[in-house]
Amino acid sequence: MNISYNECPVCSGKNIRHFLFVKDHAVSGRQFPLFQCSDCNLRFTQDVPDQATIGPYYRFENYVSHNNTKRGLVNKLYHFARHFSLRGKYSLLKSLLQGSTGSHLDYGAGTGAFVQMMRSKGWDSVGLEPDDLARSVAARDFGIQLQEPNYLQQIESNSLDVVTLWHVLEHVHELHATLEQLIDKVQLGGHIVIAVPNYTSHDATHYGEFWAAYDVPRHLYHFAPHTIAFLANKYQLQLVQQKPMWFDAWYVAMLSEKYKKQSFGLIKAFLVGCISNWKAWRKNTQCSSLIYVLKKPYIKVKK
């Protein structure tokens, strides 16, 4: 069954319009329409498979977030970048707790690399992952048991210091219900850290329909900073930090050039990534992907 929206899935606004057709380059070769909301700036994929039928769209060899292979240049570069990215993510969470350890939930943990790192640093870290193949890879490669999403019901309210969603929110069918559950699990003064692609970046504008971070139909939503700010306000969270993910511009550019199938793709991707990051260095809201640090305040603001 496919999902067709008559209103914005984030703000419920009726001011939506068709924006672009984007091809699924990974699995089906099918074109999916992208719509944009004029109220909250969300872009979203129309006619996406529902949660029960989208599974086959994740079953392809080079879906690197669900495998740890280092075969091929793109996978090697991905793992090189991931090594530094994991360290940066850990440093961010450490800073949120002012150097101490705490309780952590990684929602959409993939193959468990971040959970493994957090545990190695002394954190009480749990990973939730819906894909059974990814969970088996986590057990094989890291010796850790990731939980299925329904494990979330077993976590006490107001018990977690930090919840992370690393390039996950764009995949979640039940967007609002999931956010409400995760916010409930975070203690007052705790944080939710969300990383998502940013369609207002230079590389997104440059590649248009070939921008790999649209990744239809696996990416249901395509966020702009204004959209995340809307969600933070809706759920009475404080947006306390907004941080760039520098490696993503080059990685996304490489995949985008691969989709375009033109000569000198790697050289072009390197240049596009450099330009994108240069513009983001001047204004970080234009980075290819952004990390948003949201804080659950001690006192709720009455609306």
Side-chain angles (χ1 to χ4, degrees):
M1 180 177 175
N2 291 341
I3 300 171
S4 181
Y5 298 99
N6 296 316
E7 61 184 28
C8 174
V10 162
C11 73
S12 301
K14 303 291 186 181
N15 242 344
I16 61 175
R17 62 178 177 85
H18 176 258
F19 171 71
L20 188 68
F21 280 102
V22 178
K23 181 180 178 180
D24 171 19
H25 293 273
V27 176
S28 67
R30 176 184 162 192
Q31 297 273 349
F32 287 86
L34 260 58
F35 274 53
Q36 181 161 345
C37 174
S38 299
D39 296 327
C40 72
N41 288 357
L42 178 78
R43 290 179 182 173
F44 55 95
T45 310
Q46 282 280 32
D47 302 329
V48 294
D50 63 13
Q51 195 164 358
T53 59
I54 201 168
Y57 286 91
Y58 286 90
R59 301 294 184 176
F60 59 99
E61 184 178 0
N62 290 323
Y63 190 58
V64 291
S65 67
H66 280 185
N67 77 72
N68 286 335
T69 181
K70 296 182 181 179
R71 295 194 304 268
L73 179 61
V74 172
N75 283 333
K76 284 177 177 156
L77 291 172
Y78 169 82
H79 283 273
F80 174 79
R82 187 176 77 169
H83 171 73
F84 290 96
S85 177
L86 288 173
R87 292 171 60 184
K89 291 172 182 177
Y90 162 69
S91 296
L92 172 60
L93 267 61
K94 182 180 177 182
S95 71
L96 295 179
L97 268 67
Q98 299 179 337
S100 63
T101 59
S103 55
H104 163 243
L105 170 67
D106 194 24
Y107 190 84
T111 54
F114 187 58
V115 173
Q116 191 273 338
M117 167 167 273
M118 295 300 290
R119 289 183 180 181
S120 73
K121 301 294 185 180
W123 283 63
D124 179 13
S125 183
V126 175
L128 270 59
E129 172 54 46
D131 188 85
D132 55 353
L133 176 60
R135 295 196 302 271
S136 66
V137 172
R140 181 194 70 198
D141 292 357
F142 299 115
I144 60 176
Q145 180 182 356
L146 299 179
Q147 304 293 334
E148 296 185 36
N150 57 16
Y151 181 81
L152 189 61
Q153 309 301 325
Q154 301 180 35
I155 300 175
E156 293 184 8
S157 299
N158 303 305
S159 64
L160 297 172
D161 292 303
V162 188
V163 170
T164 54
L165 299 95
W166 303 115
H167 286 292
V168 169
L169 194 63
E170 62 268 33
H171 296 266
V172 176
H173 279 81
E174 300 295 335
L175 177 69
H176 292 290
T178 300
L179 283 173
E180 288 169 1
Q181 290 182 73
L182 294 175
I183 292 167
D184 173 70
K185 305 306 178 185
V186 176
Q187 65 177 323
L188 299 180
H191 295 85
I192 298 178
V193 180
I194 298 172
V196 287
N198 173 25
Y199 77 74
T200 70
S201 64
H202 169 76
D203 48 289
T205 302
H206 177 83
Y207 287 112
E209 65 181 288
F210 293 101
W211 190 50
Y214 280 133
D215 197 24
V216 296
R218 290 158 293 279
H219 288 190
L220 311 177
Y221 324 105
H222 317 282
F223 295 99
H226 180 74
T227 317
I228 299 297
F230 173 89
L231 284 169
N233 182 65
K234 176 180 175 64
Y235 291 107
Q236 298 188 338
L237 301 171
Q238 298 171 349
L239 179 55
V240 295
Q241 290 188 55
Q242 190 169 275
K243 299 173 68 66
M245 301 185 78
W246 300 111
F247 283 111
D248 282 32
W250 286 297
Y251 177 66
V252 169
M254 281 193 301
L255 288 177
S256 302
E257 289 290 342
K258 179 182 177 182
Y259 295 161
K260 291 183 74 174
K261 298 179 181 178
Q262 294 185 349
S263 302
F264 306 106
L266 283 178
I267 296 173
K268 291 176 181 177
F270 176 75
L271 293 175
V272 171
C274 287
I275 294 170
S276 188
N277 279 337
W278 177 72
K279 291 189 175 185
W281 180 75
R282 298 173 66 192
K283 185 179 181 182
N284 74 4
T285 55
Q286 295 182 354
C287 195
S288 184
S289 291
L290 289 165
I291 299 172
Y292 302 90
V293 180
L294 307 173
K295 183 176 182 179
K296 185 174 178 179
Y298 290 99
I299 301 175
K300 290 291 184 183
V301 179
K302 292 184 179 180
K303 291 188 176 181

